[in-house]
Amino acid sequence: APGAMQNTEPSLQSVRHALDTIILAKECDVPEVLRSACYQAVCSSSLLAEALDALLAEDVSLSPRCILTLFQANNRLASLWRKITADPPLYSCTHGAAVLEYPVARWCTNVHTAGFLPNYTCHPLRGIAAIKGMIGTEIESKGFCATCCVEIQHMWEEHAEKVWGTFLEGLEKGLIQ
């Protein structure tokens, strides 16, 4: 589930542990653990490459198909994140007159240059949580009713579910089968 993946900061050691977990989960046929470990492994492309180099230097069996699938998943997550953050959202309160329209310049400042885009490129679940928090604060301050605030937050949760589903779909095709 995407919520559990949002709070773990990738490090070389965590990526290495994730790769070790992938090997064990494949050997023991535990797909739920495999999925989580794969997500943790692909949250940083530079760390993933470094961890794979170290792992392969130790002659640990990780198939070329598995390695390719991890890098493809990494690219897929980055692509999804770019799509999610490409355009500023427009929200309006259906029960009142409140509107929150992000001008392109402000969206670029808040999301692209303030670190959202590069910091969450391969960890879109954490990025969505950060945007959800930023937008949640703004819609409440603009006078949105409680119902619309919940609906907007739910929309971002749906983005997270879509990212997770797309990630799993890629794994199913390349790693789990």
Side-chain angles (χ1 to χ4, degrees), residues 96-165:
V99 174
L100 175 61
E101 180 175 5
Y102 274 93
V104 172
R106 187 161 147 241
W107 182 253
C108 287
T109 299
N110 285 355
V111 175
H112 296 261
T113 56
F116 275 59
L117 187 64
N119 290 341
Y120 303 119
T121 297
C122 295
H123 205 327
L125 296 177
R126 182 180 291 142
I128 289 169
I131 289 176
K132 185 178 160 187
M134 176 186 75
I135 288 174
T137 302
E138 292 202 25
I139 58 178
E140 288 172 9
S141 71
K142 297 282 185 187
F144 278 63
C145 70
T147 301
C148 287
C149 287
V150 169
E151 288 173 6
I152 292 168
Q153 295 295 319
H154 182 68
M155 182 201 71
W156 284 101
E157 290 166 11
E158 288 174 353
H159 276 307
E161 292 294 332
K162 180 179 178 185
V163 166
W164 184 245

Side-chain angles (χ1 to χ4, degrees), residues 10 23 36 43 55 86 115 119 157 162 176-177:
I23 293 167
S36 296
C43 286
L55 189 68
N119 290 341
E157 290 166 11
K162 180 179 178 185
I176 295 175
Q177 290 180 337

Side-chain angles (χ1 to χ4, degrees), residues 12-162:
L12 182 57
Q13 185 174 6
S14 69
V15 173
R16 175 57 199 267
H17 289 315
L19 294 173
D20 290 338
T21 304
I22 290 168
I23 293 167
L24 288 172
K26 285 182 70 58
E27 287 175 5
C28 299
D29 193 27
V30 187
E32 298 79 19
V33 173
L34 179 62
R35 292 174 184 125
S36 296
C38 287
Y39 187 82
Q40 291 304 321
V42 301
C43 286
S44 172
S45 56
S46 61
L47 293 175
L48 177 60
E50 192 174 338
L52 281 168
D53 284 345
L55 189 68
L56 294 173
E58 297 172 12
D59 291 327
V60 175
S61 63
L62 199 60
S63 72
R65 180 179 178 181
C66 179
I67 294 168
L68 178 63
T69 299
L70 292 172
F71 279 108
Q72 288 172 335
N74 179 271
N75 289 334
R76 193 174 303 108
L77 288 176
S79 176
L80 283 167
W81 180 239
R82 284 189 296 275
K83 285 179 186 176
I84 290 168
T85 59
D87 297 315
L90 170 64
Y91 305 112
S92 58
C93 182
T94 57
H95 304 98
V99 174
L100 175 61
E101 180 175 5
Y102 274 93
V104 172
R106 187 161 147 241
W107 182 253
C108 287
T109 299
N110 285 355
V111 175
H112 296 261
T113 56
F116 275 59
L117 187 64
N119 290 341
Y120 303 119
T121 297
C122 295
H123 205 327
L125 296 177
R126 182 180 291 142
I128 289 169
I131 289 176
K132 185 178 160 187
M134 176 186 75
I135 288 174
T137 302
E138 292 202 25
I139 58 178
E140 288 172 9
S141 71
K142 297 282 185 187
F144 278 63
C145 70
T147 301
C148 287
C149 287
V150 169
E151 288 173 6
I152 292 168
Q153 295 295 319
H154 182 68
M155 182 201 71
W156 284 101
E157 290 166 11
E158 288 174 353
H159 276 307
E161 292 294 332
K162 180 179 178 185

